[in-house]
Amino acid sequence: MTIQSPPDDQGRFGDYGGRFAPEILMPALLELDEAFHEAWADPGFHAELDELLANYVGRPTPVYRAARLSEQLGIDLWLKREDLAHTGAHKVNNTIGQALLAKRMGKPRIIAETGAGQHGVATATACALLGLECVVYMGAKDVERQALNVYRMRLMDAEVISVEKGAATLKDAVSEAMRDWVASVENTHYIIGSVVGPHPFPLLVREFQKIIGEELQEQMDQSPIRPTPEVIVACVGGGSNAMGIFHPYRDSGIDLVGVEAAGHGIASGHHGASLVAGSPGVLHGSHTYLLQDEQGQVLEAHSISAGLDYPGVGPEHSYFRDTGIARYVAVTDDDALDALRVMSATEGIIPALESAHGLAWIMAAADELQGKTVVLNLSGRGDKDVQQVEKFGG
Ligand SMILES: *Cc1c(COP(=O)(O)O)cnc(C)c1O
């Protein structure tokens, strides 16, 4: 398969991206880039991947018209049901792809970092499926708030390492995983969970996730009985579910809206809105928008949902933002909680808190969206969040 709109030789999308990594990792990044391009051009690799996506993950995921919500909001609202993918979110599209790639490269050991636990579960799943050793780094705070996911990973024979350093959340787990990789790169592949990190990760994660948007094109644009989307909405943590659904539409002129976490509100400073309220800098190997103070110190992000609790964002989104290919907005914790309740009560679908940010924006923008065909990427199911939602009461 040919790659549409690839980054340049340095892994840059416009001003963003690149390969800001320790010298010792350069050979591994170059090897990965080469292995990915070689695999992507090989029909045998796609046959194996497609078979697993169809019969193990359950793709294509349905697109479902949310009739009651549509009526309530005056919008023709459709849900791309990534919550129905095996493991309950889109992340497995990427982990199976990268695990297959690792196997092809002859690397029997996988490491990963995880925030909500979803990427850890998706990685442990892919490793169990393909018989690879799996080590997952997780911030101690996240280990606590996502205990069930920790147990899931251990059931699937992954080793979970709790990271106590720094804020003990995702950012710190990423640093520890990087440290491991520097020491183990000979036999280890690092499965990054979003369209972030040094080149070629933003490219290859995008390629593994863009099946979401490609399916949507078949299910809606090319369907004789369904409308073509006018607005596509997705939440943005690192940005993989959003990039996955946006990318096939990047030249379509369709309104692409990425929804970040406004946490306690942008003005409070406690949020995860790197594109809305951040500025360009270098984080985890790439040049991108991030949350930083005047001295360039990376700030801690805040979101009620661990999946959006990250101070950076994938570099291609930074490029999309500056060029206007997509626009980015932000939604508070409270509005996301409210949207989670609305979708649960109105459709019988409990969305992930991450995905609820997308619905919260749609609800807030309902006046502007009247009568339009809007697709929300329902990136995951909310079972993992139910206890937390209960704690917030209301
Ligand atoms: C991890 C996660 C996200 C955020 O990650 P992206 O890379 O921005 O997609 C969003 N939704 C769900 C359900 C997740 O698990």
Side-chain angles (χ1 to χ4, degrees):
M1 270 206 244
T2 53
I3 294 173
Q4 304 294 320
S5 330
D8 69 15
D9 290 348
Q10 308 302 310
R12 286 184 177 267
F13 303 94
D15 286 341
Y16 302 105
R19 196 154 36 203
F20 297 86
E23 204 51 47
I24 191 170
L25 287 181
M26 286 300 172
L29 293 171
L30 293 170
E31 181 197 6
L32 180 61
D33 194 21
E34 203 170 299
F36 171 69
H37 280 92
E38 190 237 341
W40 211 238
D42 176 7
F45 181 80
H46 285 281
E48 202 176 348
L49 180 59
D50 291 351
E51 157 78 17
L52 291 173
L53 291 177
N55 298 314
Y56 185 77
V57 176
R59 304 205 72 88
T61 59
V63 64
Y64 163 74
R65 184 168 186 276
R68 297 191 68 220
L69 263 176
S70 291
E71 192 180 346
Q72 205 172 92
L73 297 171
I75 297 168
D76 184 28
L77 180 63
W78 297 72
L79 307 176
K80 180 61 175 154
R81 298 290 307 274
E82 291 302 297
D83 61 314
L84 295 178
H86 178 49
T87 71
H90 66 292
K91 290 195 171 77
V92 74
N93 304 326
N94 167 48
T95 59
I96 289 182
Q98 286 198 52
L100 271 182
L101 201 54
K103 223 173 158 167
R104 196 178 164 103
M105 289 189 292
K107 299 201 173 184
R109 180 173 179 267
I110 297 293
I111 57 171
E113 91 296 314
T114 193
Q118 289 292 104
H119 174 57
V121 169
T123 301
T125 303
C127 291
L129 172 70
L130 297 171
L132 299 166
E133 183 187 341
C134 183
V135 176
V136 178
Y137 290 89
M138 193 166 181
K141 234 185 244 169
D142 291 330
V143 167
E144 200 184 296
R145 52 182 174 179
Q146 303 286 349
L148 214 51
N149 274 341
V150 173
Y151 187 61
R152 282 191 184 102
M153 288 182 257
R154 288 181 174 148
L155 272 179
M156 292 186 280
D157 218 18
E159 181 187 351
V160 180
I161 298 180
S162 174
V163 178
E164 312 276 349
K165 287 181 190 159
T169 59
L170 181 60
K171 182 163 69 76
D172 314 290
V174 175
S175 306
E176 284 303 295
M178 276 285 185
R179 224 159 275 151
D180 179 318
W181 205 30
V182 166
S184 67
V185 68
E186 287 293 309
N187 74 340
T188 299
H189 174 63
Y190 179 12
I191 298 191
I192 287 188
S194 190
V195 285
V196 301
H199 180 66
F201 283 104
L203 169 67
L204 66 90
V205 178
R206 171 190 99 188
E207 292 298 302
F208 287 131
Q209 289 294 359
K210 85 182 188 209
I211 189 162
I212 304 171
E214 288 169 347
E215 284 176 4
L216 186 65
Q217 288 179 319
E218 277 179 37
Q219 291 167 319
M220 294 192 77
D221 310 49
Q222 289 153 30
S223 156
I225 53 163
R226 292 190 180 138
T228 295
E230 296 174 276
V231 185
I232 298 176
V233 181
C235 65
V236 177
S240 69
N241 86 88
M243 192 51 71
I245 199 166
F246 288 176
H247 202 269
Y249 287 93
R250 57 163 277 161
D251 300 318
S252 68
I254 287 174
D255 191 10
L256 306 175
V257 183
V259 185
E260 298 192 302
H264 296 323
I266 299 293
S268 74
H270 299 283
H271 60 79
S274 35
L275 289 164
V276 168
S279 54
V282 172
L283 180 65
H284 296 141
S286 82
H287 184 240
T288 191
Y289 277 83
L290 56 96
L291 303 177
Q292 56 189 330
D293 66 16
E294 266 133 48
Q295 279 76 48
Q297 290 284 352
V298 177
L299 298 170
E300 274 170 36
H302 165 82
S303 172
I304 190 170
S305 73
L308 305 186
D309 197 351
Y310 180 63
V313 68
E316 199 171 8
H317 282 292
S318 296
Y319 175 70
F320 278 18
R321 174 198 187 277
D322 284 7
T323 54
I325 291 172
R327 59 184 173 127
Y328 297 88
V329 296
V331 153
T332 63
D333 290 351
D334 286 348
D335 288 348
L337 274 168
D338 187 40
L340 180 145
R341 292 200 179 88
V342 168
M343 184 179 288
S344 303
T346 313
E347 293 292 341
I349 298 170
I350 302 174
L353 270 171
E354 290 86 353
S355 326
H357 283 71
L359 178 63
W361 178 77
I362 291 168
M363 287 164 55
D367 285 348
E368 172 198 337
L369 300 174
Q370 282 303 296
K372 290 199 171 161
T373 299
V374 178
V375 177
L376 170 64
N377 197 14
L378 190 57
S379 54
R381 65 178 183 227
D383 305 42
K384 67 183 176 60
D385 297 318
V386 166
Q387 266 186 318
Q388 209 189 347
V389 172
E390 187 188 19
K391 204 176 79 190
F392 282 90

PDB file of all heavy atoms in Angstrom, residues 271-293:
ATOM      1  N   HIS A 271      -5.416  21.517  32.896  1.00  0.00           N
ATOM      2  CA  HIS A 271      -6.082  20.961  31.713  1.00  0.00           C
ATOM      3  C   HIS A 271      -5.086  20.159  30.894  1.00  0.00           C
ATOM      4  O   HIS A 271      -3.912  20.034  31.280  1.00  0.00           O
ATOM      5  CB  HIS A 271      -6.699  22.091  30.886  1.00  0.00           C
ATOM      6  CG  HIS A 271      -5.690  23.097  30.405  1.00  0.00           C
ATOM      7  ND1 HIS A 271      -4.882  22.868  29.315  1.00  0.00           N
ATOM      8  CD2 HIS A 271      -5.333  24.325  30.885  1.00  0.00           C
ATOM      9  CE1 HIS A 271      -4.087  23.908  29.129  1.00  0.00           C
ATOM     10  NE2 HIS A 271      -4.329  24.811  30.081  1.00  0.00           N
ATOM     11  N   GLY A 272      -5.544  19.616  29.773  1.00  0.00           N
ATOM     12  CA  GLY A 272      -4.652  18.846  28.893  1.00  0.00           C
ATOM     13  C   GLY A 272      -4.744  19.333  27.460  1.00  0.00           C
ATOM     14  O   GLY A 272      -4.556  18.565  26.530  1.00  0.00           O
ATOM     15  N   ALA A 273      -5.026  20.644  27.301  1.00  0.00           N
ATOM     16  CA  ALA A 273      -5.330  21.182  25.970  1.00  0.00           C
ATOM     17  C   ALA A 273      -4.081  21.766  25.316  1.00  0.00           C
ATOM     18  O   ALA A 273      -3.923  22.977  25.196  1.00  0.00           O
ATOM     19  CB  ALA A 273      -6.442  22.232  26.078  1.00  0.00           C
ATOM     20  N   SER A 274      -3.202  20.902  24.825  1.00  0.00           N
ATOM     21  CA  SER A 274      -1.926  21.383  24.279  1.00  0.00           C
ATOM     22  C   SER A 274      -2.099  22.157  22.976  1.00  0.00           C
ATOM     23  O   SER A 274      -1.341  23.089  22.717  1.00  0.00           O
ATOM     24  CB  SER A 274      -0.939  20.230  24.101  1.00  0.00           C
ATOM     25  OG  SER A 274      -1.595  19.056  23.733  1.00  0.00           O
ATOM     26  N   LEU A 275      -3.075  21.792  22.148  1.00  0.00           N
ATOM     27  CA  LEU A 275      -3.262  22.511  20.877  1.00  0.00           C
ATOM     28  C   LEU A 275      -4.032  23.809  21.075  1.00  0.00           C
ATOM     29  O   LEU A 275      -3.787  24.803  20.396  1.00  0.00           O
ATOM     30  CB  LEU A 275      -4.003  21.620  19.869  1.00  0.00           C
ATOM     31  CG  LEU A 275      -3.186  20.441  19.326  1.00  0.00           C
ATOM     32  CD1 LEU A 275      -4.091  19.407  18.662  1.00  0.00           C
ATOM     33  CD2 LEU A 275      -2.123  20.920  18.346  1.00  0.00           C
ATOM     34  N   VAL A 276      -4.976  23.800  22.014  1.00  0.00           N
ATOM     35  CA  VAL A 276      -5.794  24.993  22.260  1.00  0.00           C
ATOM     36  C   VAL A 276      -5.029  26.025  23.081  1.00  0.00           C
ATOM     37  O   VAL A 276      -5.108  27.226  22.830  1.00  0.00           O
ATOM     38  CB  VAL A 276      -7.110  24.602  22.981  1.00  0.00           C
ATOM     39  CG1 VAL A 276      -7.845  25.819  23.526  1.00  0.00           C
ATOM     40  CG2 VAL A 276      -8.014  23.815  22.032  1.00  0.00           C
ATOM     41  N   ALA A 277      -4.249  25.560  24.065  1.00  0.00           N
ATOM     42  CA  ALA A 277      -3.653  26.505  25.014  1.00  0.00           C
ATOM     43  C   ALA A 277      -2.148  26.322  25.211  1.00  0.00           C
ATOM     44  O   ALA A 277      -1.560  26.949  26.073  1.00  0.00           O
ATOM     45  CB  ALA A 277      -4.363  26.373  26.363  1.00  0.00           C
ATOM     46  N   GLY A 278      -1.515  25.469  24.408  1.00  0.00           N
ATOM     47  CA  GLY A 278      -0.078  25.246  24.542  1.00  0.00           C
ATOM     48  C   GLY A 278       0.719  26.005  23.489  1.00  0.00           C
ATOM     49  O   GLY A 278       0.189  26.871  22.800  1.00  0.00           O
ATOM     50  N   SER A 279       2.003  25.663  23.377  1.00  0.00           N
ATOM     51  CA  SER A 279       2.872  26.302  22.386  1.00  0.00           C
ATOM     52  C   SER A 279       3.913  25.271  21.940  1.00  0.00           C
ATOM     53  O   SER A 279       4.150  24.285  22.631  1.00  0.00           O
ATOM     54  CB  SER A 279       3.541  27.525  23.004  1.00  0.00           C
ATOM     55  OG  SER A 279       4.203  27.151  24.203  1.00  0.00           O
ATOM     56  N   PRO A 280       4.548  25.491  20.781  1.00  0.00           N
ATOM     57  CA  PRO A 280       5.473  24.478  20.258  1.00  0.00           C
ATOM     58  C   PRO A 280       6.750  24.331  21.084  1.00  0.00           C
ATOM     59  O   PRO A 280       7.272  25.297  21.632  1.00  0.00           O
ATOM     60  CB  PRO A 280       5.813  25.001  18.850  1.00  0.00           C
ATOM     61  CG  PRO A 280       4.674  25.890  18.485  1.00  0.00           C
ATOM     62  CD  PRO A 280       4.273  26.547  19.781  1.00  0.00           C
ATOM     63  N   GLY A 281       7.212  23.096  21.171  1.00  0.00           N
ATOM     64  CA  GLY A 281       8.441  22.758  21.887  1.00  0.00           C
ATOM     65  C   GLY A 281       8.763  21.307  21.576  1.00  0.00           C
ATOM     66  O   GLY A 281       8.156  20.728  20.674  1.00  0.00           O
ATOM     67  N   VAL A 282       9.699  20.729  22.317  1.00  0.00           N
ATOM     68  CA  VAL A 282      10.051  19.331  22.058  1.00  0.00           C
ATOM     69  C   VAL A 282       9.660  18.472  23.255  1.00  0.00           C
ATOM     70  O   VAL A 282      10.016  18.774  24.395  1.00  0.00           O
ATOM     71  CB  VAL A 282      11.561  19.169  21.761  1.00  0.00           C
ATOM     72  CG1 VAL A 282      11.945  17.688  21.689  1.00  0.00           C
ATOM     73  CG2 VAL A 282      11.908  19.858  20.440  1.00  0.00           C
ATOM     74  N   LEU A 283       8.892  17.433  22.987  1.00  0.00           N
ATOM     75  CA  LEU A 283       8.494  16.497  24.038  1.00  0.00           C
ATOM     76  C   LEU A 283       8.539  15.072  23.488  1.00  0.00           C
ATOM     77  O   LEU A 283       8.022  14.815  22.401  1.00  0.00           O
ATOM     78  CB  LEU A 283       7.068  16.824  24.537  1.00  0.00           C
ATOM     79  CG  LEU A 283       6.527  15.902  25.641  1.00  0.00           C
ATOM     80  CD1 LEU A 283       7.328  16.034  26.926  1.00  0.00           C
ATOM     81  CD2 LEU A 283       5.048  16.171  25.910  1.00  0.00           C
ATOM     82  N   HIS A 284       9.135  14.172  24.278  1.00  0.00           N
ATOM     83  CA  HIS A 284       9.179  12.756  23.915  1.00  0.00           C
ATOM     84  C   HIS A 284       9.540  12.530  22.461  1.00  0.00           C
ATOM     85  O   HIS A 284       8.862  11.783  21.746  1.00  0.00           O
ATOM     86  CB  HIS A 284       7.848  12.075  24.287  1.00  0.00           C
ATOM     87  CG  HIS A 284       7.612  12.076  25.768  1.00  0.00           C
ATOM     88  ND1 HIS A 284       6.379  12.284  26.337  1.00  0.00           N
ATOM     89  CD2 HIS A 284       8.467  11.933  26.801  1.00  0.00           C
ATOM     90  CE1 HIS A 284       6.495  12.258  27.656  1.00  0.00           C
ATOM     91  NE2 HIS A 284       7.745  12.047  27.957  1.00  0.00           N
ATOM     92  N   GLY A 285      10.581  13.206  22.023  1.00  0.00           N
ATOM     93  CA  GLY A 285      11.174  12.879  20.727  1.00  0.00           C
ATOM     94  C   GLY A 285      10.631  13.621  19.533  1.00  0.00           C
ATOM     95  O   GLY A 285      11.079  13.397  18.418  1.00  0.00           O
ATOM     96  N   SER A 286       9.637  14.512  19.739  1.00  0.00           N
ATOM     97  CA  SER A 286       9.181  15.246  18.561  1.00  0.00           C
ATOM     98  C   SER A 286       8.819  16.689  18.877  1.00  0.00           C
ATOM     99  O   SER A 286       8.512  17.047  20.019  1.00  0.00           O
ATOM    100  CB  SER A 286       8.036  14.506  17.857  1.00  0.00           C
ATOM    101  OG  SER A 286       6.822  14.769  18.467  1.00  0.00           O
ATOM    102  N   HIS A 287       8.891  17.523  17.848  1.00  0.00           N
ATOM    103  CA  HIS A 287       8.558  18.942  17.943  1.00  0.00           C
ATOM    104  C   HIS A 287       7.063  19.079  17.724  1.00  0.00           C
ATOM    105  O   HIS A 287       6.541  18.665  16.687  1.00  0.00           O
ATOM    106  CB  HIS A 287       9.343  19.711  16.876  1.00  0.00           C
ATOM    107  CG  HIS A 287       9.150  21.182  16.935  1.00  0.00           C
ATOM    108  ND1 HIS A 287       8.633  21.916  15.892  1.00  0.00           N
ATOM    109  CD2 HIS A 287       9.399  22.070  17.930  1.00  0.00           C
ATOM    110  CE1 HIS A 287       8.569  23.197  16.234  1.00  0.00           C
ATOM    111  NE2 HIS A 287       9.031  23.318  17.462  1.00  0.00           N
ATOM    112  N   THR A 288       6.379  19.633  18.720  1.00  0.00           N
ATOM    113  CA  THR A 288       4.923  19.644  18.663  1.00  0.00           C
ATOM    114  C   THR A 288       4.382  20.645  19.683  1.00  0.00           C
ATOM    115  O   THR A 288       5.132  21.175  20.515  1.00  0.00           O
ATOM    116  CB  THR A 288       4.373  18.222  18.949  1.00  0.00           C
ATOM    117  OG1 THR A 288       2.981  18.182  18.641  1.00  0.00           O
ATOM    118  CG2 THR A 288       4.600  17.800  20.403  1.00  0.00           C
ATOM    119  N   TYR A 289       3.083  20.906  19.632  1.00  0.00           N
ATOM    120  CA  TYR A 289       2.472  21.735  20.680  1.00  0.00           C
ATOM    121  C   TYR A 289       2.497  20.978  22.003  1.00  0.00           C
ATOM    122  O   TYR A 289       2.270  19.762  22.046  1.00  0.00           O
ATOM    123  CB  TYR A 289       1.020  22.080  20.331  1.00  0.00           C
ATOM    124  CG  TYR A 289       0.915  23.265  19.400  1.00  0.00           C
ATOM    125  CD1 TYR A 289       1.056  23.105  18.031  1.00  0.00           C
ATOM    126  CD2 TYR A 289       0.687  24.550  19.896  1.00  0.00           C
ATOM    127  CE1 TYR A 289       0.981  24.198  17.160  1.00  0.00           C
ATOM    128  CE2 TYR A 289       0.598  25.645  19.049  1.00  0.00           C
ATOM    129  CZ  TYR A 289       0.753  25.468  17.686  1.00  0.00           C
ATOM    130  OH  TYR A 289       0.682  26.544  16.840  1.00  0.00           O
ATOM    131  N   LEU A 290       2.783  21.699  23.081  1.00  0.00           N
ATOM    132  CA  LEU A 290       2.780  21.074  24.402  1.00  0.00           C
ATOM    133  C   LEU A 290       2.510  22.129  25.469  1.00  0.00           C
ATOM    134  O   LEU A 290       2.528  23.337  25.184  1.00  0.00           O
ATOM    135  CB  LEU A 290       4.117  20.363  24.661  1.00  0.00           C
ATOM    136  CG  LEU A 290       5.383  21.205  24.531  1.00  0.00           C
ATOM    137  CD1 LEU A 290       5.831  21.724  25.880  1.00  0.00           C
ATOM    138  CD2 LEU A 290       6.483  20.364  23.921  1.00  0.00           C
ATOM    139  N   LEU A 291       2.263  21.654  26.662  1.00  0.00           N
ATOM    140  CA  LEU A 291       2.028  22.555  27.787  1.00  0.00           C
ATOM    141  C   LEU A 291       3.361  22.833  28.465  1.00  0.00           C
ATOM    142  O   LEU A 291       4.012  21.914  28.946  1.00  0.00           O
ATOM    143  CB  LEU A 291       1.040  21.919  28.782  1.00  0.00           C
ATOM    144  CG  LEU A 291      -0.317  21.518  28.194  1.00  0.00           C
ATOM    145  CD1 LEU A 291      -1.177  20.831  29.253  1.00  0.00           C
ATOM    146  CD2 LEU A 291      -1.038  22.727  27.607  1.00  0.00           C
ATOM    147  N   GLN A 292       3.778  24.108  28.481  1.00  0.00           N
ATOM    148  CA  GLN A 292       5.071  24.451  29.078  1.00  0.00           C
ATOM    149  C   GLN A 292       4.980  25.838  29.712  1.00  0.00           C
ATOM    150  O   GLN A 292       4.136  26.648  29.345  1.00  0.00           O
ATOM    151  CB  GLN A 292       6.169  24.421  28.014  1.00  0.00           C
ATOM    152  CG  GLN A 292       5.901  25.326  26.809  1.00  0.00           C
ATOM    153  CD  GLN A 292       6.886  25.112  25.663  1.00  0.00           C
ATOM    154  OE1 GLN A 292       8.022  24.747  25.890  1.00  0.00           O
ATOM    155  NE2 GLN A 292       6.454  25.341  24.432  1.00  0.00           N
ATOM    156  N   ASP A 293       5.892  26.078  30.671  1.00  0.00           N
ATOM    157  CA  ASP A 293       5.923  27.417  31.267  1.00  0.00           C
ATOM    158  C   ASP A 293       6.882  28.301  30.465  1.00  0.00           C
ATOM    159  O   ASP A 293       7.419  27.876  29.432  1.00  0.00           O
ATOM    160  CB  ASP A 293       6.301  27.340  32.755  1.00  0.00           C
ATOM    161  CG  ASP A 293       7.726  26.845  32.975  1.00  0.00           C
ATOM    162  OD1 ASP A 293       8.524  26.840  32.010  1.00  0.00           O
ATOM    163  OD2 ASP A 293       8.036  26.449  34.112  1.00  0.00           O
TER     164      ASP A 293
END
